[in-house]
Structure formats: C-alpha cells, structure tokens
Amino acid sequence: MSATSAILSPHGAGAPAFTQVKANFELVAKYGDNVPLYLFSDMFLRVPALRELFPVHMSRQRERLMAALSFAVEHAHNLPEITPYLHQLARSHRKFGTEGEHYEQWSASVVNTMQRFSGNMWDEGLEEEWRDFLSLLTRTLSEGARQDASLRPAYWTAEVISHERRSVDVAVLRLLVDRPFKYVPGQSAPVEVRQWPNMWRYYSMANVPRRDNTVELHVKAAGAVSRTLVCDVREGEVVKLGAPVGTLTLNPNTGRNILLIAGGTGFAPIKAVLEHVTKLPVPPWVSVFTGARERGGLYDLDVLRDWEQKYPWLTVRAALSELEDQSVATTGTVGEAVSRYGRWEGYDAYVCGPPAMVDGTVAMLHANGFTDNRIRLERFAGAATPSRRFAI
Amino acid sequence: MTDSMEPFPPPGQPLVANANGNGHAAAQDLLPWSDAGESNAEDVWEEPAWDEPQAAPSGDPSGDRLTPAELRAVVFRRAPLGKRGLDEHQVNSLLDRVEAELVRLTQEKRALETEVELLRDSAARQPEPVAPPREEPAARPQETGLARVDQAEHAASRSVAGRVQEAHVYAASLLSQAQQTADQYIKDAQRYSRELIEDALLKRGTILSNAAAEGDRTVGVDAVGQEIARLRTANQTYRGKLRDYFELMLMNLDEWETAEGAGGST
Ligand SMILES: Cc1cc2nc3c(=O)[nH]c(=O)nc-3n(C[C@H](O)[C@H](O)[C@H](O)COP(=O)(O)OP(=O)(O)OC[C@H]3O[C@@H](n4cnc5c(N)ncnc54)[C@H](O)[C@@H]3O)c2cc1C
Ligand code: HEM
C-alpha cells in the first residue's frame, strides 16, 4: 500500500516508473466510455451518497475524468511534474464538496474498474502498483485541497439583489456576496444555481471589486445554466460562487494604449478592465469596440456612452453584424470595425466574447501587426473551465 | 487532448506575466476599490472566515449494496424526466428492470451471507465430533476432517465472494446502462429546447429584418429622420410582440428546466 512498496515489489522491474500501470491503462482505455461508466457505477453502488455530488448529466463528466486520469497516468513516473495541475484540480474540487475520503473511494473504484477490464491480465503485483500510484495521486490531491483551505472558503454564497432583463436573451444581475470576494478586474468566477446542482459555469465580474461585496454579471441565455440565470432567477435568490480565475486582466505597465474588444456578453470583463483603467492615476488612451448581432445585444451601450462623455481619454464604437441599426452602430463584425479604424501600433488589445468571435478578432489583430504578447483574451467557451488561452 | 477535454491550461504552458502559481492573476495583490467618490481609506483584506467544514455526506461504505428503494434516487434523484416529450414510460420501465435486478441481487446476497454463516458454524462445530476417536493411532483423521471443513469453507466463501462480486459487476453494468439512458434523454431534451429557441430566434430575426427592409423602401429622400423614427416604433412594436411570444415560449421551456433541475430537491 505504501508508495515505496512498489519499489520492493517482486514485479517491480522499474516499478517506480509505474510501467505496469501505464501499460494496463492503455489496454483498458480501449474500452472507451465503458471504463468511466463502470468506474462511476462501482463508486455509486458502494457509496450511494457520492452520487449527490455529481451533475445529473454525466457524459461530459466521464470525458473529463478520463482525460484527467490519463494525464496523471502519463506522468505517473514523475507526478511532482504535474503537481501544480493536480493542486489546481483539487482546489477547484473544494466547491464541489469533494473531500479526502471521496478521493479514496474513487481510488478503490479505479482499482475495481481496472481489474474488471483486465481479465486474467490482473494479478496482485499489478493491483499493488495501481494502489501505490493512486495513493500518491490522492495524496497530492488532498494536499492541494488542504493548502487551499487555509487560504479561502470552498465557495461563497451570493444573493441576487437586482435582475434586469436587458433584451430577449441577455440579463444583467447584481449579486451581494456574503463575504469579501477578492479578484482582479477581468476575471471570472464559477457559478452554481439551485436549479442545476453541481453544474458550475463561469461568468465574468463586470466591475472592479467593491467594498460592499457586490458584483455585476452579464449573462446571455445559451444553455441550461445561463437560461436559468436570464429567465428564471429572481431577486432574492441565492447562488454559489467559486474562486475567481482568468487572465484577461489589465497590464498597466506596458506604456501602450488600450484597445478593448467585446462581443456580446464578452463585454462583462471588458467593462471591469475599463473601470480598472478609470482608477489609474494617468489613464492611457482607450478605444472600446463592442459588437453584437443585433441591437438587443448592445445591452449596456448607454453606460458606455455616459463614460465616453465623462472621460476624455475614452472612445466607444459599436458594431452590429446581423440586424443593422445605423443610428447606434456601424454594420459588420467588431473585428471589421477595429480594422477599419486601424492604426493600432501603440496599443495592447483585450478581446472577449464567444470563441468564434475571439478567434476571428485575433486573426484580424495578427493581420494588423499585433503579436501575441500584445493580446489578452478570454473565450466564453462552453467548457466549464477556461480553456487554453494565451496572453501577455 | 481536445480543447474541451483539457480542464486547465496544461502545465508548462506560458501564463501571463502577473500570474501566480495558480495560473491566475494574483488577486491578493489588489485591494478592493471603492466606488468613485468614496473615501479610499484603510480597507485591508481580511482573511475570509472559513466555511464550516462541510460534513461529507458519507454513505455507508460498509459494502452494503444499494437497496432497490434507493436506486431511483441514485440515478434520477434530480431528474424527473417526464416532462415535455420525454418518454417517461421508457425511463420507468428501465428503472423497473434495474430495480427488479437489484431486488434479486440483494436477496441473493442475503442468501449467500446466510450460507456463509451456516458454513462457518458447521466448520466451528465439526472438530468436536471428529475429535473423540482418539484411540485411533493415526493422527490423520482429525487432520483430514479439519482440512476438509477448512477447504469446504474456503471454497464456499470463495464462491460466495465470487458470486457477490459477480452480482456487483452485474449491478454496476445495469447502473451504467441506466445512467447512459438518462444522459441520452437529457441530451435529447436539451437539443430539443435548443432547436426550439434557435428556430424562434431565426423567425424573430426574419421579422425584424423584413420590418427594416420595408422601412427602407418607404424612406423618402427628405424625411429620413422621420422614417427612422417610424421604423424604430415599428421595430419596437414587432419587438414587443415577439418578446411576448418568445417569453411565453421561454416560460414553457423554463418550466421543463425547472422541473428537471429542481424537481426532486429531496
Ligand atoms: C472564463 C469564462 C468566462 C465566461 N463569462 C461569461 C459571461 O460573463 N457571460 C456569459 O454570458 N457567459 C460567460 N461564459 C460562458 C458561460 O460560462 C457558459 O459556458 C454559458 O453560459 C453556457 O452555459 P450553459 O450551462 O447555459 O450552457 P450549456 O448547457 O453548457 O451549453 C453550452 C453551449 O453549447 C451548446 N450546446 C450544448 N450541447 C450542444 C450540442 N450537443 N450540440 C451543439 N451545441 C450544444 C448550447 O446551446 C450552448 O450554446 C464564460 C465562460 C468562460 C469559460
Ligand atoms: C470523488 C470525488 C469527486 C467529485 C465529487 C467530483 C465532482 C466533480 C464536479 C461536481 C465537477 C463539475 C461538473 C460541472 O461543473 O459540470 C467535476 C469536474 C471535474 N472533475 Fe471531478 N470529482 C471528483 C473526483 C475527481 C478526480 C479524482 C478527478 C481526476 C483525477 C476529477 C477530475 C475532474 C475534472 C478534470 C473536472 C473538470 C474540470 C473542473 O471543473 O474543475 N474529479 N468534478
């Protein structure tokens, strides 16, 4: 059972390298979705209460679990190398209510599952190697969770104190967080609504942190959670927030001017970054481009126009890509608008919106001479966690 | 690994300059701002009070199998999937089957446990009757007797363990099947609601752009401003009507969502 016993194992030709585990996993992984299906079923049969901690819909869960497990197996010979990843995984699992003993139950199910799919390849040596690997893995996870627990709560709760339906599919919500909620303007936080237990989706805070612990969220109805936030949630309702993440944050030290580009509710973090700029002693020139498909998508343009009046260093331009309305916006995508106005040598760009809009805009920025180190971005990907991103 | 399967930026990926070890910008470097105009006094970040340690809703890991009564809860606790076009009947009949299997397995397991107990008892008792024929010079009979009982018990408990294991594997694959079915139903329902909404948005777009085109044709050279105003009003009316229609539809969908999401908030 101990981590070192693998070394002493009679089967241990290079045991610390977990070669048996790797080979076995590769073999078992061929059974595809059946593997995590069995793993979860085994775990839920043995410990029914654990089912409560997962979403109803499990297919994405299974994919992620297998992706994470195979990543860990791949690095089994050198887990310290992926410790930062494992710690982050454990941190993000605190809000799910995951505890050390759950990881142990999970490990037991991994062993059962591997045994089940290995047939007569399974023997005591292999089992012992799996147990050693899993105990290293869960120890790292528990340690990550433990460290994080000394820094912040597992989650925050927040009351919806205002809910404005700004258009057919966009709402602006204000939340009162139950305790100080530290973040950098431009970051996002995972949100869980009562209606969809254990399904956390990221939403970006649209303001700089306030003393009164209120945050503003801009939500576009797209799927399960967002539609609930837009159509269902009322004032007084309570939601949960997880620890903030994200790198679409202001870099005030480049000496360059700032180009902010938003698509749809991608305006939320852009608005926070803009408010951050207003707090700088000497704000640089700022150009904001905000785009949507139709007028309703420019749900916060009034505020922007007010700020434009108020701050001489700020210019605001809006673009509508599908249903034009020349009285408020130019026609076309934001990317096209940016490129039309272009002479952006002295600027850093911050881009946020749906993945296609972000990718299109970044391509346009590249064509206009922007290098990746002058671009920060956030894609509002469907994935529950911020996906791959590059930034300054 | 695909993007969606990649839970975090993989290790070693370049992170931003002001990122800390988390790969996230360092929130702790910044104090909360005050609202414009508010005094910027000493607002020092306080270590957040911790949550009460969450009592892990620990199930009984003693190896007790799921009881049939618990099954529904395990798979569908929060998803009464009967609403809006979902075939409740199918879901139920699947569940019934799984339940029946579990009843059978539970009973079987109990029977097996009783069997094991009986075997143990008899194993414990047997040495005595075997022991008396001390007079016999050979030391073997007792040995043999004991060995036989031992063997029998061993074989029995092995086969019991084997059968319990088999039952567990079987239950797990049934549960897997039930989960897959649930996943499929939820996916279908989500696609259905997405299609409804996309369709409505499309129609709405067409109506709005038709309205705009109609407006264009009637725009006179001299009265542009007026026409724009007229168009706006028309737009607004369309929008209002559509909005009512759309909200109604959303309400229906929400009903389903709420039912699914909150239904069994047990
Ligand atoms: C860092 C970050 C910050 C974010 N900030 C914001 C924000 O400030 N405001 C905001 O509105 N959003 C934001 N998002 C997006 C948000 O987190 C959610 O992804 C979004 O609201 C959709 O979640 P959902 O549960 O409503 O939809 P889901 O049910 O998860 O569906 C996601 C999308 O995929 C589509 N979809 C689902 N299944 C299928 C399928 N089988 N085939 C085709 N399409 C499918 C849905 O229609 C939907 O468009 C952010 C995302 C990230 C990663
Ligand atoms: C046994 C206890 C565990 C519980 C209760 C648990 C629960 C959850 C929940 C609720 C989610 C979010 C689902 C969503 O938002 O839709 C999640 C996501 C995820 N889980 Fe787990 N999980 C557990 C163990 C693990 C382990 C051991 C691994 C990896 C080895 C893992 C890997 C992941 C990954 C990669 C994600 C997606 C990324 C994220 O959201 O952080 N989980 N898990």
Side-chain angles (χ1 to χ4, degrees):
Chain A
M1 278 293 221
S2 88
T4 47
S5 69
I7 300 165
L8 309 172
S9 150
H11 305 262
F18 293 113
T19 42
Q20 290 196 81
V21 162
K22 288 183 181 186
N24 181 239
F25 183 78
E26 200 169 311
L27 219 79
V28 169
K30 296 212 167 73
Y31 290 92
D33 196 33
N34 289 322
V35 178
L37 260 172
Y38 187 86
L39 198 161
F40 278 118
S41 297
D42 178 85
M43 187 162 82
F44 297 153
L45 280 170
R46 290 187 304 106
V47 198
L50 265 174
R51 182 64 183 89
E52 284 286 283
L53 300 183
F54 290 90
V56 182
H57 194 203
M58 291 288 293
S59 53
R60 205 153 92 184
Q61 201 70 30
R62 292 195 295 274
E63 281 171 20
R64 291 157 166 177
L65 185 82
M66 285 313 275
L69 180 57
S70 60
F71 187 63
V73 168
E74 226 172 90
H75 291 82
H77 59 283
N78 190 7
L79 275 186
E81 195 187 348
I82 61 163
T83 295
Y85 165 79
L86 294 173
H87 279 189
Q88 179 160 1
L89 192 62
R91 275 199 293 275
S92 90
H93 271 67
R94 288 184 59 228
K95 63 177 177 289
F96 306 145
T98 317
E99 313 245 324
E101 69 177 89
H102 300 155
Y103 290 128
E104 268 152 42
Q105 291 299 344
W106 175 82
S107 296
S109 286
V110 174
V111 171
N112 290 348
T113 304
M114 294 304 146
Q115 174 170 20
R116 157 111 177 91
F117 286 94
S118 299
N120 51 19
M121 307 275 297
W122 193 257
D123 62 22
E124 277 171 23
L126 181 55
E127 176 164 340
E128 193 179 324
E129 211 180 270
W130 265 109
R131 287 192 194 282
D132 290 340
F133 164 66
L134 290 164
S135 89
L136 274 179
L137 181 64
T138 51
R139 217 183 305 149
T140 312
L141 289 171
S142 300
E143 174 60 18
R146 200 187 56 72
Q147 285 176 12
D148 192 58
S150 65
L151 296 174
R152 58 194 133 241
Y155 59 85
W156 289 254
T157 54
E159 187 189 332
V160 177
I161 51 171
S162 79
H163 183 286
E164 279 177 65
R165 186 84 171 255
R166 293 279 177 92
S167 81
V168 75
D169 54 4
V170 177
V172 171
L173 289 79
R174 289 187 148 279
L175 308 181
L176 176 61
V177 190
D178 63 339
R179 64 189 78 182
F181 185 60
K182 237 187 342 173
Y183 63 91
V184 185
Q187 286 193 310
S188 314
V191 175
E192 185 200 40
V193 294
R194 173 183 58 82
Q195 291 84 344
W196 295 99
N198 308 321
M199 281 173 56
W200 294 75
R201 297 290 182 266
Y202 284 87
Y203 295 96
S204 314
M205 283 68 76
N207 56 290
V208 301
R210 305 238 190 273
R211 274 165 211 285
D212 63 4
N213 296 334
T214 59
V215 297
E216 179 178 311
L217 303 182
H218 301 174
V219 184
K220 178 176 157 92
V225 174
S226 57
R227 215 173 300 142
T228 300
L229 282 168
V230 171
C231 311
D232 244 9
V233 162
R234 298 279 170 269
E235 280 159 27
E237 188 127 4
V238 171
V239 301
K240 286 183 187 170
L241 295 182
V245 301
T247 52
L248 181 72
T249 51
L250 183 68
N251 183 349
N253 303 321
T254 66
R256 284 188 287 264
N257 295 322
I258 291 171
L259 171 60
L260 302 176
I261 309 172
T265 46
F267 179 61
I270 294 293
K271 189 181 181 186
V273 170
L274 180 57
E275 198 185 350
H276 189 170
V277 176
T278 68
K279 311 286 178 189
L280 296 180
V282 187
W285 294 105
V286 177
S287 248
V288 178
F289 285 78
T290 175
R293 286 211 289 263
E294 42 130 338
R295 181 65 183 87
L298 300 174
Y299 56 89
D300 218 17
L301 195 57
D302 295 347
V303 173
L304 265 180
R305 293 289 182 212
D306 284 351
W307 286 4
E308 196 179 21
Q309 296 292 311
K310 186 168 162 193
Y311 301 113
W313 42 263
L314 176 64
T315 19
V316 174
R317 293 198 177 81
L320 288 176
S321 63
E322 275 174 27
L323 283 174
E324 59 178 54
D325 185 344
Q326 298 278 0
S327 63
V328 283
T330 66
T331 303
T333 65
V334 260
E336 288 160 3
V338 171
S339 151
R340 220 176 296 141
Y341 283 95
R343 283 190 66 81
W344 302 110
E345 291 88 52
Y347 282 77
D348 290 331
Y350 297 76
V351 189
C352 186
M357 171 267 164
V358 171
D359 294 343
T361 305
V362 168
M364 182 283 304
L365 290 172
H366 285 156
N368 278 269
F370 277 82
T371 45
D372 281 349
N373 69 341
R374 282 172 50 207
I375 304 173
R376 286 189 179 192
L377 56 85
E378 187 75 82
R379 284 188 193 86
F380 281 0
T385 10
S387 52
R388 183 193 294 277
R389 64 172 86 82
F390 58 87
I392 297 170
Chain B
M1 276 201 275
T2 69
D3 231 26
S4 69
M5 281 171 67
E6 195 148 44
F8 296 104
Q13 190 172 322
L15 294 163
V16 290
N18 66 342
N20 62 14
N22 301 351
H24 300 141
Q28 54 277 5
D29 297 344
L30 284 149
L31 293 177
W33 275 265
S34 48
D35 270 313
E38 210 180 295
S39 97
N40 222 3
E42 43 41 78
D43 200 31
V44 181
W45 169 254
E46 277 176 40
E47 196 60 56
W50 293 16
D51 280 357
E52 282 301 306
Q54 269 199 319
S58 62
D60 175 13
S62 66
D64 250 6
R65 302 285 173 262
L66 190 67
T67 65
E70 281 165 346
L71 177 79
R72 235 167 248 277
V74 169
V75 189
F76 289 117
R77 176 158 296 165
R78 290 191 170 110
L81 286 166
K83 307 274 160 51
R84 289 188 68 88
L86 293 168
D87 189 347
E88 190 165 26
H89 180 70
Q90 266 183 40
V91 177
N92 280 337
S93 73
L94 180 85
L95 279 174
D96 289 346
R97 250 184 55 217
V98 180
E99 270 184 32
E101 283 303 326
L102 276 165
V103 172
R104 199 179 62 72
L105 291 170
T106 316
Q107 283 167 352
E108 190 173 339
K109 188 183 164 231
R110 249 177 237 134
L112 289 171
E113 278 164 359
T114 322
E115 220 175 296
V116 177
E117 279 313 305
L118 283 173
L119 279 165
R120 281 225 179 84
D121 285 355
S122 70
R125 272 196 315 270
Q126 223 141 348
E128 272 128 57
V130 177
R134 277 258 161 211
E135 322 79 81
E136 271 188 40
R140 293 188 61 207
Q142 195 184 6
E143 229 176 72
T144 328
L146 267 179
R148 205 184 305 126
V149 172
D150 244 18
Q151 244 166 28
E153 189 195 4
H154 189 66
S157 68
R158 205 173 46 204
S159 89
V160 167
R163 284 164 75 188
V164 170
Q165 170 65 16
E166 228 170 76
H168 176 69
V169 168
Y170 190 51
S173 52
L174 283 172
L175 190 55
S176 299
Q177 215 179 319
Q179 180 66 57
Q180 264 179 318
T181 311
D183 289 347
Q184 192 57 47
Y185 277 123
I186 294 169
K187 206 170 137 196
D188 288 351
Q190 281 175 344
R191 194 200 312 126
Y192 177 59
S193 91
R194 195 167 55 241
E195 281 169 3
L196 273 185
I197 287 181
E198 273 162 14
D199 190 47
L201 282 174
L202 211 72
K203 284 200 185 109
R204 174 174 170 276
T206 317
I207 295 177
L208 286 178
S209 58
N210 284 348
E214 207 167 279
D216 280 348
R217 253 183 279 122
T218 49
V219 170
V221 261
D222 42 358
V224 177
Q226 233 179 1
E227 279 308 324
I228 285 176
R230 196 195 67 81
L231 189 57
R232 277 230 181 110
T233 325
N235 244 359
Q236 224 73 80
T237 322
Y238 273 114
R239 205 179 278 253
K241 285 213 177 88
L242 266 159
R243 190 173 159 143
D244 291 347
Y245 162 72
F246 197 71
E247 292 217 81
L248 198 71
M249 206 189 64
L250 279 177
M251 249 162 61
N252 288 338
L253 288 170
D254 287 346
E255 225 167 71
W256 169 77
E257 282 196 353
T258 320
E260 201 207 343
S265 47
T266 44

